[in-house]
Amino acid sequence: MSTITTCPYKVLRDPDTVREVLHRPDDFSPANALLAVTPLSGQALRVLQKARFALPPVLASNPSPSHAAIRKVVAGFFTPAKVAAMEPRIRQLSRESAAAAARLLNSAGNVDLVQAVAAYPPAVIMLDMLGLPVRDLPQLQAWSLDSLELFWGWPDPARQLELAHTAADFYTWLRELVLEAVSAREPNLFKALADHGLSTPEICSLGYFLLIAGQETTTQLISTTLFRLAEGSRGISWDEASSSAKAREIVRHVLATESSVPTWRRVAAHDTELNGEHIPAGEEILVELTGNHGFPWAAGESAGEGTEHQGPTPYGLAFGSGIHRCLGAKLAELEAAVVVQETTEALKGVRLQDPNPEWLRLLSFQAPRTVSVAHP
Ligand code: HEM
């Protein structure tokens, strides 16, 4: 990891202030939402340019008025009715992966729940809902993790170059998928965006963000929830979580205390004021949405390991707020609750095998990399 000296962000923690920032998009623009935290080296940029990698602002980082209509197109694929209609499929997938995890546990003596139950259902459901082919899932998962590290992590130059190569591979795969989908007969998101007038690079930019955000964040939420349940540290036992009410409750607790997306970014679009304080144009802001495990500059200030020491953070900010609020919030919550319920049901009475796993800790993403459980 490279040395990090001073924090380039104004960090905001107070929930009311965070909400105000998110509700003033003309003053606090999302234009920096997808910028690399560690600036890309010339070498890394050349690798990306060769693949014609580009992330023009389309949705999450789009400060212009075109955002609203594009958001509407995407939202059409995740309406409350469409999400509710997916529940049986989510349950079936979760049940199948939980049963496979139970078999693995019996034959091998332990099982990593991140790979066995958290990794794939969210990706399958997302691709299904977008009308895209469900394929290359292990590759998609590996690419997603690499791209999160490239854009939200602190890779040293050698690692950054490695990540630029995999991001270029991901983008090349994505462009092929976009071209295929745009000319397909069946309705799908990329075709809908092309019909809306978006160019191929714009569709690729949206697809790059969505294919990562639409599944890896949910996988991470499931991983943290299963870890805390297995640890028995959050007041709801592993076995209790097999009831649907308790599964929902623990997922909401994790969303409020240590969500997979604990922070997000904004930038002051012009000189402005916040709580009577002058904010100069260009000031980059990091808003805390939920408790977090600390980013490098937060050492000694933030909660560090666990989040119990922080005051209650309202669960309502976990998916952002205002005109860019997460379009997958309902889906993510439903998926997490169903996977947690089915997993705890199929693997009754297991214990945490590794209480100190390695964690993914990036500026805006966090989760245990493994949740290994065994029989008592
Ligand atoms: C636990 C899982 C998830 C978390 C914690 C999460 C969190 C977030 C956050 C914090 C934002 C930025 C909100 C803002 O700027 O106010 C966001 C935006 C977004 N999320 Fe999620 N997300 C999750 C899952 C999903 C899923 C499953 C999808 C879709 C399948 C999705 C699609 C989106 C989209 C499209 C945006 C951009 C919306 C816009 O700019 O108008 N997310 N998400």
Side-chain angles (χ1 to χ4, degrees):
M1 187 181 278
S2 44
T3 315
I4 298 129
T5 45
T6 50
C7 176
Y9 304 107
K10 180 177 182 61
V11 181
L12 299 177
R13 300 202 160 87
D14 171 55
D16 291 336
T17 308
V18 168
R19 191 168 279 106
E20 179 174 345
V21 165
L22 295 176
H23 284 237
R24 287 171 53 191
D26 293 339
D27 297 333
F28 300 106
S29 153
N32 64 342
L34 310 180
L35 293 183
V37 171
T38 303
L40 297 166
S41 68
Q43 245 184 326
L45 277 172
R46 277 192 292 281
V47 169
L48 293 171
Q49 275 157 7
K50 214 169 145 203
R52 288 180 284 149
F53 185 105
L55 296 178
V58 187
L59 187 63
S61 61
N62 184 357
S64 85
S66 66
H67 166 263
I70 296 168
R71 179 176 165 95
K72 220 171 163 180
V73 175
V74 181
F77 286 77
F78 298 105
T79 61
K82 285 186 180 164
V83 170
M86 283 311 275
E87 179 162 353
R89 176 112 171 87
I90 297 170
R91 196 166 291 283
Q92 177 210 349
L93 276 174
S94 307
R95 216 166 260 176
E96 283 166 13
S97 45
R103 285 195 296 276
L104 200 58
L105 176 64
N106 289 334
S107 60
N110 62 57
V111 58
D112 169 24
L113 298 176
V114 173
Q115 283 309 312
V117 301
Y120 298 114
V124 174
I125 297 296
M126 173 196 68
L127 292 167
D128 238 38
M129 292 189 78
L130 296 177
L132 299 172
V134 177
R135 67 183 182 213
D136 303 329
L137 295 185
Q139 189 61 76
L140 180 61
Q141 196 208 11
W143 278 332
S144 297
L145 283 169
D146 279 1
S147 284
L148 289 183
E149 186 183 346
L150 180 63
F151 285 95
W152 281 274
W154 298 273
D156 63 25
R159 176 74 179 146
Q160 188 181 65
L161 193 56
E162 205 174 287
L163 296 169
H165 278 288
T166 63
D169 292 345
F170 183 11
Y171 199 84
T172 304
W173 174 91
L174 176 64
R175 188 189 300 104
E176 275 167 27
L177 180 64
V178 167
L179 294 176
E180 183 185 319
V182 163
S183 55
R185 274 146 70 93
E186 297 73 33
N188 65 73
L189 174 74
F190 295 157
K191 199 177 159 73
L193 291 169
D195 291 346
H196 184 71
L198 261 61
S199 66
T200 300
E202 286 171 330
I203 300 174
C204 287
S205 173
L206 190 151
Y208 183 76
F209 168 78
L210 188 60
L211 261 47
I212 299 173
Q215 46 93 23
E216 184 54 36
T217 48
T218 311
T219 292
Q220 292 171 7
L221 172 64
I222 295 167
S223 305
T224 304
T225 307
L226 289 172
F227 179 74
R228 293 305 179 201
L229 279 172
E231 193 182 50
S233 59
R234 295 295 190 269
I236 294 178
S237 73
W238 178 270
D239 288 353
E240 278 172 336
S242 59
S243 92
S244 106
K246 288 289 178 193
R248 268 190 179 271
E249 191 181 323
I250 184 77
V251 167
R252 288 196 169 179
H253 171 81
V254 170
L255 278 168
T257 54
E258 50 178 339
S259 170
S260 41
V261 188
T263 70
W264 208 241
R265 284 173 291 173
R266 288 293 190 265
V267 57
H270 47 81
D271 282 2
T272 186
E273 280 209 351
L274 184 65
N275 295 339
E277 191 191 328
H278 175 72
I279 309 283
E283 173 110 303
E284 294 214 56
I285 292 170
L286 185 72
V287 292
E288 282 198 3
L289 302 174
T290 86
N292 63 74
H293 294 265
F295 32 90
W297 317 283
E301 266 181 64
S302 194
E305 181 60 45
T307 48
E308 302 88 330
H309 320 293
Q310 285 191 332
T313 316
Y315 139 83
L317 278 178
F319 294 102
S321 195
I323 62 167
H324 288 276
R325 188 175 189 272
C326 179
L327 284 172
K330 271 206 156 35
L331 176 65
E333 247 197 89
L334 175 66
E335 288 178 335
V338 171
V339 172
V340 164
Q341 196 193 347
E342 295 297 333
T343 304
T344 49
E345 174 67 34
L347 284 85
K348 281 251 184 285
V350 294
R351 68 173 174 82
L352 197 54
Q353 197 190 27
D354 176 8
N356 289 304
E358 192 191 319
W359 281 66
L360 173 82
R361 283 192 184 135
L362 305 175
L363 181 69
S364 296
F365 300 91
Q366 62 184 5
R369 287 189 187 273
T370 57
V371 179
S372 186
V373 296
H375 284 305

